[in-house]
Amino acid sequence: MTDPAPAPHLEARGLGVRFPGGVQALSGLDLVVRRGELLALIGPSGCGKSTLLRVAAGLAPPSEGGLTVAGEAPARARARRAVAFVFQDPTLLPWRSLHQNVRLPLELARVPLAEQNAAADAALALVGLSEFAAAAPAALSGGMKMRASLARALVTRPELLLLDEPFGALDELTRERLNDELLRLWERDRFTALAVTHSVAEAVLLGDRVVVLSGRPGRVVADIAVALPRPRRAALVGSPEFAAIAAEVRARLRAAAPPDPSDLLART
Ligand SMILES: Nc1ncnc2c1ncn2[C@@H]1O[C@H](COP(=O)(O)OP(=O)(O)OP(=O)(O)O)[C@@H](O)[C@H]1O
């Protein structure tokens, strides 16, 4: 007998988000992320990927349908520190040391100081930054800042990690290293993760599935299983199996994207 599929962790049903100015960012979006799954989300610019993450974090309300995290409203899941967010910008407070930045979520939650310190030590060790605990963010490279941002997200041991293009601003080699790091952390703790990316290779490298959203308003137009063995590392990107899945994702993404104005010009 095969094991039953893990329970849904994040579940969106008929989700729509319309902003006060009238922009419809998402419409009729159905999506399930199972517990312990790492799901990559890709779609044309402006299709509502960040909006979906913001709804999942309880930072934006749905205007139609709904989204639950572990069966409860996202704001409740966030209040019990079960959800963490990593943004493209590391958003470290410049006047605080790395250690003070990493322990901030626990400080805000009024966790006892000794516990804050122990958890921040462990999180910094996890991302290889222990020796920079006392450093100011300004003294670090972009990749190190992003590592610290990851440590700050993981310090609460979240059940669900939301990643919004976290390595998008980094050079290719640093990005590769950080993807390997993220995979290593996920293999260790098996939190559920929803990762937005603009890179097809990154989506296939990270995801158990790659979900493709259509152009605005965003809804799911393809849900592609990534049948590649784990553990995975960036070196896998050159393999023929990888290339075949990436080609499928690319084709679905191209079909989902609005026409490129330069194509239209070329045809006239
Ligand atoms: N607070 C807001 N008020 C009004 N419109 C918004 C707001 N936030 C986002 N939008 C609009 O909603 C749409 C979806 O935005 P969103 O940032 O979710 O897309 P995205 O897929 O993450 O884009 P990108 O890939 O370029 O980062 C866009 O048209 C954006 O301009």
Side-chain angles (χ1 to χ4, degrees):
M1 221 170 76
T2 52
D3 287 339
H9 193 165
L10 181 155
E11 198 165 4
R13 293 287 171 216
L15 179 67
V17 175
R18 177 185 284 274
F19 288 106
V23 172
Q24 183 85 36
L26 297 168
S27 174
L29 183 135
D30 292 315
L31 179 70
V32 170
V33 188
R34 299 197 169 273
R35 199 167 272 278
E37 193 174 33
L38 201 173
L39 191 132
L41 188 67
I42 198 162
S45 184
C47 72
K49 302 179 292 297
S50 298
T51 302
L52 174 61
L53 292 196
R54 289 177 58 76
V55 174
L59 299 170
S63 17
E64 306 133 38
L67 183 150
T68 54
V69 174
E72 57 188 1
R76 278 182 71 105
R78 193 161 54 97
R80 62 178 178 87
R81 303 194 301 277
V83 182
F85 212 133
V86 182
F87 302 92
Q88 181 168 347
D89 178 0
T91 62
L92 300 171
L93 300 176
W95 59 89
R96 292 176 70 116
S97 70
L98 270 204
H99 194 275
Q100 288 167 339
N101 266 288
V102 169
R103 72 176 169 79
L104 185 61
L106 300 175
E107 186 180 315
L108 293 174
R110 299 206 165 84
V111 167
L113 186 60
E115 237 175 271
Q116 289 179 32
N117 284 333
D121 288 346
L124 281 169
L126 217 55
V127 299
L129 284 178
S130 296
E131 60 183 296
F132 299 94
L140 304 177
S141 69
M144 287 160 95
K145 283 185 204 157
M146 216 50 240
R147 276 205 173 91
S149 166
L150 205 50
R152 183 185 51 195
L154 295 176
V155 78
T156 59
R157 308 291 300 244
E159 296 167 14
L160 173 65
L161 185 63
L162 304 168
L163 301 128
D164 196 358
E165 257 302 292
F167 312 140
L170 302 173
D171 67 88
E172 202 173 322
L173 203 62
T174 309
R175 190 171 177 147
E176 240 173 52
R177 288 207 190 105
L178 280 162
N179 275 323
D180 280 356
E181 196 116 316
L182 174 63
L183 284 165
R184 194 173 54 74
L185 294 167
W186 176 79
E187 282 150 19
R188 201 190 92 124
D189 291 348
R190 287 293 174 136
F191 42 80
T192 309
L194 179 53
V196 165
T197 176
H198 280 119
S199 154
V200 170
E202 193 165 83
V204 177
L205 175 67
L206 296 176
D208 292 312
R209 288 184 289 140
V210 178
V211 164
V212 181
L213 296 191
S214 61
R216 205 182 83 215
R219 61 157 60 94
V220 174
V221 288
D223 187 339
I224 299 161
V226 181
L228 294 170
R230 292 196 187 266
R232 296 187 199 148
R233 292 295 177 265
L236 187 69
V237 172
S239 76
E241 299 80 6
F242 188 98
I245 299 170
E248 187 186 349
V249 172
R250 198 164 288 117
R252 303 303 292 262
L253 185 59
R254 205 170 286 133
D260 182 339
S262 58
D263 288 351
L264 295 176
L265 281 177
R267 269 190 246 134
T268 53

